[in-house]
Amino acid sequence: MTVCPDTTAPSNLMSTTKTLVIVFESSQDTSLVFSIQGTARVLPCSSSPCLSGGSCSDKLQLTPPTYQCTCTSAYVGTQCETEADECASNPCSTHAQQCIDQLDSFECVCSSGFTGVLCETDINECSSPDVCFNGGVCINSEGSFECQCAVGFIGQFCETDINECDENPCQNGGSCTNEAGGFSCDCFPGYEGATCAQDTNECLQSNTLCQNGGQCVNSEGSYRCECLATYSGQHCQEDVDECAANPCGNEGTCSNTFGSYLCSCADGFEGLNCERDVNECTLSPCLNWGTCVNTPGSYHCSCSEAYTGEFCNEDADECENEPCLNGGTCTNTIGSYRCECPSSSTGKNCEVDVNECLNSPCQNGGSCVDIVGSYYCSCTSYYTGQHCDVDVQECETDPCLNGGTCSNTVGSYHCQCMPGYEGRTCELDRNECENDPCRNGGSCTNTVGSYTCTCPPSYFGYNCADDVDECDADPCSNGGTCTNLVGSYRCGCTAAYTGQHCEDDVDECQSLPCKFGGTCTNTFGSYVCQCIPSFTGQDCEVDTDECTTDPCLNGGTCSNSFGSYACTCTSFYTGRHCAEDVDECETNPCLNGGTCSNSIGSYHCQCTQRFGGPNCGADVDECEINPCMNEGTCSNFHGTYQCECRGLFAGPHCEEDVDECLGNPCHNGGTCRNSYGGFVCTCPDTLTGPTCENGLDVLCCPEIWNTFLMKRF
């Protein structure tokens, strides 16, 4: 027996301080423990209180003693009795729709476009081929993607072809056919271009439409010829009889010619239309600088003043008209005259007065004014006297205003002004406007001893400080409500009007009421739609049935459609109106190199030698004419034939003899000689056979050998 004071009790017992523990050991390797003092009790963890795999720790230092469970990651609670919620910490990214708790784990349910354990990875939809159809370009984005479509396609995946025909792109009555990624227009006769917007210029298709120099002018859907004046007709092909208009003047005789005419003029006239008088002035009949003036059938001379007569050959006496002024005496001369003037005049006609001012008689800035036979001085305000040589006493006229005092000076004066005035003569009031007393843009006007303010329309008062209430004048029209503002006003208009003063009618056309390409014209209080030919109705919403005008020709059937119509043509015609013969040759019906010729309602194939049939689809059997020679075998093929020759002949038709000797057919030194259709081998004496392939056997045929020897020797 072992006595252990204050020793540690076995793991499943607990004891108080200073407890005597006695351990009895037995041969069965068991121990008995007794507490001499105090009471032994079972440890808290001995009952395995921790669940779900949690580990238990005794807490003996607590009163009363207890335990603590350390749980696995999948459980929580005092005894690990509650499954842990991994979603409580929000482990999924913001791209997750939902977090699903699982045992010791969780699952993130991702939004469309994301993947990964936490939905943290964007799915690149563009990595998959052919996401976007019809040439669309895939652009990945976070959680999604976008298809940038090629022109002519729309839709999330560019899967929808845009029907460009809905926008009526074909003009001038053209018929629109939608195509994948685009459209095509079948134009009305007279128009062309991708949208039938271009008029067909017939003038460019032929430079001989207009004859005889006529100018071709293209017009909408047609053309016209602008002819020279000498031709007429649709194509300027007819000569105009110019003589019918009597072009020859002055009794000239007209003779018509092709494309023109000829005038035979009467005497005295010339020119294309005898319109010019013969100009006798070219002979210079007028003398002494006389001017010749041609007249119809004659002429006359306009003479200078010095000459007269029919040819200006007579001297004129100018003195008869008394040209000399101021008492001058006239003397006639050949071609002129001469004036003798008195001393007070000069000039050709004594018309010029002698200017005494040339000697500058006026002083002190005075101006000299010449008069007939004399002069006078116009003095400045500061001098007087005949020659402006006397100083004026300006102060005698009291020039200083507003109580100013005058002091005379030589040639001038000086004013001493009273307070409040200024200026040379004290005529200026002090300008109060220099201090800008007028407010709000008012204009200041100075007055004697004061000022006035001219205010803008929106203000009034002495200094323009008061706002004008414009609403008092009722500026708003058509029931508009006026609101006064500082310096202005504003009109609140009813729904039917607009503008600063509600004076403008609302333009209903801005809301685009006219459908299908109709043109809107605003009217006062309403609007009018001008529809394109395919629609009618107030808003151009009613389709016009074009089939009522029978536009389809040559037995074509008309089918009306919304905004247009279509012609279903017979098999022999095509075009928007079945006006064009079907050119079957465009589909290349002639096979195997055949040449197609179109005709009205049909076509014809000109086949090559090796093919026949309506479309040249039947192969000609060349073997029927036995093209292979020397018993060659003919085999027909599509578009040709082939000769299979016997081994003795060659060539396309087995016409060539094969030289078998080229292949050295003769053995054992035999000599080959070619022949037509074969060959011959000349063998050595000891060999035989067609190709010298056999020797003479003396053992089996001694009689032949003896014969050979006898011949040999």
Side-chain angles (χ1 to χ4, degrees):
M1 182 182 67
T2 302
V3 178
C4 302
D6 297 328
T7 187
T8 303
S11 60
N12 63 337
L13 297 178
M14 66 178 181
S15 63
T16 59
T17 305
K18 296 184 184 298
T19 299
L20 177 63
V21 178
I22 303 174
V23 179
F24 294 92
E25 298 178 354
S26 68
S27 60
Q28 286 78 19
D29 198 18
T30 59
S31 299
L32 297 177
V33 181
F34 295 91
S35 175
I36 304 300
Q37 295 180 0
T39 302
R41 291 178 291 180
V42 178
L43 295 175
C45 287
S46 62
S47 62
S48 300
C50 299
L51 307 175
S52 303
S55 60
C56 184
S57 300
D58 289 311
K59 299 296 181 180
L60 302 179
Q61 71 275 18
L62 300 178
T63 303
T66 184
Y67 63 92
Q68 181 178 354
C69 291
T70 302
C71 303
T72 63
S73 60
Y75 292 92
V76 294
T78 305
Q79 294 179 285
C80 306
E81 74 281 3
T82 303
E83 181 184 351
D85 184 4
E86 285 80 8
C87 290
S89 61
N90 295 321
C92 302
S93 71
T94 57
H95 304 304
Q97 293 182 343
Q98 179 184 3
C99 179
I100 300 176
D101 180 50
Q102 298 177 348
L103 182 60
D104 199 19
S105 182
F106 61 92
E107 179 185 359
C108 294
V109 179
C110 301
S111 299
S112 175
F114 292 92
T115 186
V117 176
L118 304 178
C119 304
E120 74 281 5
T121 303
D122 172 62
I123 295 175
N124 186 358
E125 293 85 356
C126 294
S127 62
S128 299
D130 300 328
V131 174
C132 303
F133 302 133
N134 298 307
V137 178
C138 182
I139 299 177
N140 186 58
S141 60
E142 188 174 63
S144 184
F145 69 97
E146 177 186 1
C147 287
Q148 288 188 352
C149 301
V151 176
F153 295 94
I154 58 174
Q156 182 180 2
F157 304 102
C158 307
E159 74 282 4
T160 302
D161 173 60
I162 296 175
N163 189 351
E164 292 83 359
C165 293
D166 289 341
E167 300 297 327
N168 297 317
C170 303
Q171 304 180 32
N172 298 305
S175 176
C176 182
T177 301
N178 186 55
E179 299 175 352
F183 67 97
S184 63
C185 291
D186 186 9
C187 300
F188 221 66
Y191 295 93
E192 60 187 359
T195 59
C196 306
Q198 182 179 352
D199 172 64
T200 299
N201 192 342
E202 294 85 358
C203 295
L204 297 179
Q205 296 178 348
S206 175
N207 56 7
T208 60
L209 284 176
C210 302
Q211 304 176 25
N212 298 309
Q215 182 68 36
C216 182
V217 179
N218 186 57
S219 61
E220 191 76 16
S222 185
Y223 68 96
R224 71 177 187 278
C225 290
E226 292 185 352
C227 304
L228 298 176
T230 54
Y231 295 94
S232 64
Q234 181 181 1
H235 298 100
C236 307
Q237 74 278 10
E238 300 175 2
D239 175 63
V240 172
D241 185 3
E242 294 83 5
C243 293
N246 297 319
C248 303
N250 299 304
E251 299 182 355
T253 302
C254 180
S255 300
N256 185 58
T257 61
F258 189 78
S260 185
Y261 63 96
L262 179 66
C263 288
S264 298
C265 301
D267 293 339
F269 294 93
E270 61 183 1
L272 177 64
N273 296 318
C274 305
E275 73 281 4
R276 292 196 307 271
D277 172 65
V278 174
N279 188 359
E280 295 84 357
C281 291
T282 58
L283 301 176
S284 301
C286 302
L287 305 176
N288 297 309
W289 306 284
T291 301
C292 181
V293 180
N294 186 58
T295 61
S298 185
Y299 70 97
H300 71 268
C301 292
S302 177
C303 303
S304 64
E305 294 180 354
Y307 292 93
T308 186
E310 181 180 0
F311 303 105
C312 304
N313 55 341
E314 300 176 5
D315 177 63
D317 187 0
E318 293 86 357
C319 292
E320 291 180 354
N321 296 325
E322 297 181 352
C324 301
L325 305 176
N326 298 312
T329 302
C330 180
T331 301
N332 184 59
T333 61
I334 298 298
S336 186
Y337 65 95
R338 180 178 66 254
C339 290
E340 295 180 0
C341 303
S343 59
S344 61
S345 300
T346 187
K348 179 179 179 180
N349 294 321
C350 305
E351 76 279 7
V352 179
D353 177 66
V354 173
N355 189 357
E356 295 85 357
C357 290
L358 295 177
N359 297 323
S360 302
C362 303
Q363 304 177 27
N364 296 308
S367 299
C368 181
V369 178
D370 181 62
I371 58 177
V372 177
S374 182
Y375 69 96
Y376 69 89
C377 291
S378 176
C379 303
T380 65
S381 59
Y382 306 112
Y383 294 92
T384 186
Q386 181 180 0
H387 297 99
C388 304
D389 53 345
V390 180
D391 178 67
V392 173
Q393 295 293 322
E394 292 87 352
C395 291
E396 292 179 356
T397 60
D398 296 321
C400 301
L401 306 176
N402 298 307
T405 301
C406 181
S407 300
N408 187 63
T409 61
V410 177
S412 185
Y413 65 96
H414 173 71
C415 289
Q416 184 68 35
C417 299
M418 293 290 290
Y421 293 91
E422 58 186 8
R424 173 171 177 77
T425 60
C426 306
E427 75 280 9
L428 301 177
D429 174 65
R430 296 287 182 186
N431 188 0
E432 293 85 352
C433 291
E434 292 179 348
N435 296 324
D436 297 323
C438 302
R439 300 170 58 185
N440 296 308
S443 176
C444 182
T445 302
N446 186 59
T447 61
V448 177
S450 184
Y451 66 94
T452 59
C453 289
T454 302
C455 302
S458 298
Y459 295 91
F460 71 101
Y462 190 79
N463 290 324
C464 304
D466 300 321
D467 176 66
V468 172
D469 188 354
E470 293 85 352
C471 292
D472 291 339
D474 294 324
C476 303
S477 305
N478 299 307
T481 303
C482 181
T483 302
N484 186 56
L485 304 173
V486 177
S488 183
Y489 64 96
R490 180 177 64 248
C491 289
C493 304
T494 62
Y497 296 91
T498 185
Q500 181 180 1
H501 301 100
C502 307
E503 72 280 10
D504 297 328
D505 174 63
V506 171
D507 187 358
E508 292 86 354
C509 290
Q510 292 183 352
S511 62
L512 305 176
C514 303
K515 301 178 180 179
F516 306 113
T519 302
C520 182
T521 302
N522 185 58
T523 61
F524 195 82
S526 185
Y527 64 96
V528 176
C529 289
Q530 183 69 33
C531 304
I532 63 175
S534 297
F535 295 93
T536 185
Q538 181 179 357
D539 295 329
C540 305
E541 75 281 5
V542 180
D543 174 63
T544 299
D545 187 356
E546 294 86 351
C547 292
T548 58
T549 61
D550 296 323
C552 304
L553 306 175
N554 297 308
T557 302
C558 181
S559 299
N560 186 58
S561 60
F562 193 78
S564 184
Y565 64 96
C567 291
T568 302
C569 305
T570 63
S571 59
F572 304 111
Y573 293 91
T574 185
R576 174 167 172 77
H577 299 98
C578 306
E580 303 169 14
D581 174 65
V582 171
D583 187 356
E584 292 84 355
C585 292
E586 291 182 349
T587 61
N588 298 319
C590 302
L591 307 176
N592 300 305
T595 302
C596 183
S597 299
N598 185 58
S599 60
I600 299 298
S602 185
Y603 65 96
H604 172 71
C605 290
Q606 183 68 35
C607 303
T608 61
Q609 292 182 351
R610 298 185 183 275
F611 296 93
N615 294 326
C616 305
D619 175 65
V620 173
D621 189 355
E622 295 86 352
C623 292
E624 292 180 352
I625 62 174
N626 298 318
C628 303
M629 302 169 62
N630 296 307
E631 299 181 356
T633 301
C634 181
S635 298
N636 185 61
F637 297 97
H638 187 74
T640 185
Y641 64 95
Q642 183 178 356
C643 290
E644 183 178 354
C645 305
R646 292 190 302 127
L648 304 176
F649 295 91
H653 300 97
C654 305
E655 76 278 10
E656 301 174 5
D657 175 64
V658 174
D659 188 355
E660 293 84 355
C661 292
L662 296 176
N664 298 318
C666 302
H667 302 297
N668 302 309
T671 302
C672 181
R673 178 175 58 82
N674 186 59
S675 63
Y676 190 82
F679 65 96
V680 176
C681 288
T682 302
C683 303
D685 293 341
T686 58
L687 298 170
T688 185
T691 59
C692 306
E693 72 276 13
N694 298 324
L696 293 175
D697 190 352
V698 261
L699 296 179
C700 68
C701 303
E703 65 279 356
I704 299 177
W705 179 249
N706 290 333
T707 303
F708 170 75
L709 290 177
M710 288 172 54
K711 291 182 178 180
R712 181 77 172 172
F713 301 103

